[in-house]
Amino acid sequence: MDKELEKAIASIDFENIEKHPNILIAAGFWDEKRYHAARVCYKFMRMIDDLIDDRKALDESISCLEKEELSEKVNSWIDCLDQEAADDPFYRELVQTISTFKIPLQLFHNFAKSMIHDINHDGFSTIEEFVEYAEGASVAPASIFVHLCCLSENNGEYKPPEFDVVQVARPCAIFSYIVHIIRDFQEDQRSNLNYFAADLLAKNNLVPS
């Protein structure tokens, strides 16, 4: 794991975090092993999301070369999740957590797809494009929560739920994400982040700030 990723992960303080996600608050009612697994997965995704948002918050455009470099980093971090011989202790724990709790890797790939969209775009042309983005940005993390919540355990072995966790997680995840965007509208605008689709803005005679 490179130094930039290691530094970003170390910067997340769970004890004093100001915007604790509701899914982690709910996960606090689980047994300690599942709760820790949720924290490990969240920490990894939060690190990537913050890395991109913090860069976009700078009052300067991202060059084509930098976009390519950031996209390659995100893809490389996700592509290595099935490799157990990780040198970094946290990354090794993440890989082991995914293996132990049988978390579908596709959920992390869905998340990465949305993060790469963030790197290469400033907002969304249509509401449909936003909903597709939300599949990775919100539905994927929520699906991991549902997966961990509904695992069955037998003698320390975990068995995945027998239903589609993405389908179950999607309605609440997208609704919560829209509420989150409305709540943080002013702060996001000041940080050069726009989550309102262009067609929706035009329909209401609005323009991005």
Side-chain angles (χ1 to χ4, degrees):
M1 184 180 295
D2 61 42
K3 294 295 183 182
E4 187 174 12
L5 179 59
E6 185 177 345
K7 181 180 178 181
I9 287 176
S11 70
I12 300 175
D13 182 356
F14 277 97
E15 302 306 321
N16 298 303
I17 196 167
E18 294 180 357
K19 293 183 179 179
H20 225 314
N22 291 333
I23 56 175
L24 274 192
I25 294 173
F29 292 93
W30 299 345
D31 62 77
E32 182 58 33
K33 289 182 179 179
R34 292 188 198 220
Y35 177 52
H36 184 70
R39 284 169 56 116
V40 169
C41 293
Y42 169 76
K43 194 171 186 177
F44 176 66
M45 291 185 288
R46 173 68 183 266
M47 172 278 303
I48 294 177
D49 190 34
D50 283 354
L51 184 68
I52 296 167
D53 284 353
D54 290 348
R55 174 59 189 87
K56 296 187 78 171
L58 298 176
D59 192 19
E60 57 184 77
S61 61
I62 305 178
S63 69
C64 180
L65 179 59
E66 188 177 1
K67 287 179 181 179
E68 185 175 342
E69 290 174 347
L70 283 171
S71 298
E72 287 178 355
K73 281 185 178 181
V74 172
N75 278 326
S76 66
W77 293 332
I78 299 298
D79 289 342
C80 293
L81 289 178
D82 60 349
Q83 300 180 18
E84 295 186 4
D87 295 330
D88 180 84
F90 172 77
Y91 203 81
R92 188 163 54 246
E93 181 181 27
L94 173 65
V95 171
Q96 184 59 49
T97 296
I98 292 170
S99 175
T100 299
F101 291 89
K102 297 179 172 61
I103 302 171
L105 283 174
Q106 185 60 48
L107 298 177
F108 291 94
H109 285 285
N110 293 350
F111 173 77
K113 180 181 177 181
S114 293
M115 295 302 98
I116 290 172
H117 181 283
D118 261 346
I119 293 170
N120 291 284
H121 299 83
D122 292 317
F124 311 92
S125 299
T126 65
I127 189 66
E128 289 78 15
E129 187 178 328
F130 165 77
V131 171
E132 181 180 354
Y133 167 84
E135 282 291 310
S138 182
V139 177
S143 299
I144 292 173
F145 169 85
V146 172
H147 176 90
L148 290 172
C149 180
C150 298
L151 285 169
S152 57
E153 181 184 2
N154 184 20
N155 296 323
E157 284 291 322
Y158 293 95
K159 181 181 178 181
E162 296 182 355
F163 56 84
D164 187 340
V165 295
V166 175
Q167 185 176 358
V168 170
R170 183 179 290 117
C172 188
I174 293 180
F175 170 77
S176 299
Y177 195 41
I178 291 172
V179 172
H180 166 89
I181 289 169
I182 294 171
R183 181 198 69 187
D184 292 347
F185 172 74
Q186 188 175 52
E187 179 183 345
D188 286 342
Q189 289 293 304
R190 290 171 176 170
S191 298
N192 301 318
L193 301 173
N194 177 47
Y195 296 98
F196 288 80
D199 61 349
L200 186 62
L201 292 175
K203 181 179 178 181
N204 291 277
N205 298 315
L206 298 171
V207 294
S209 62

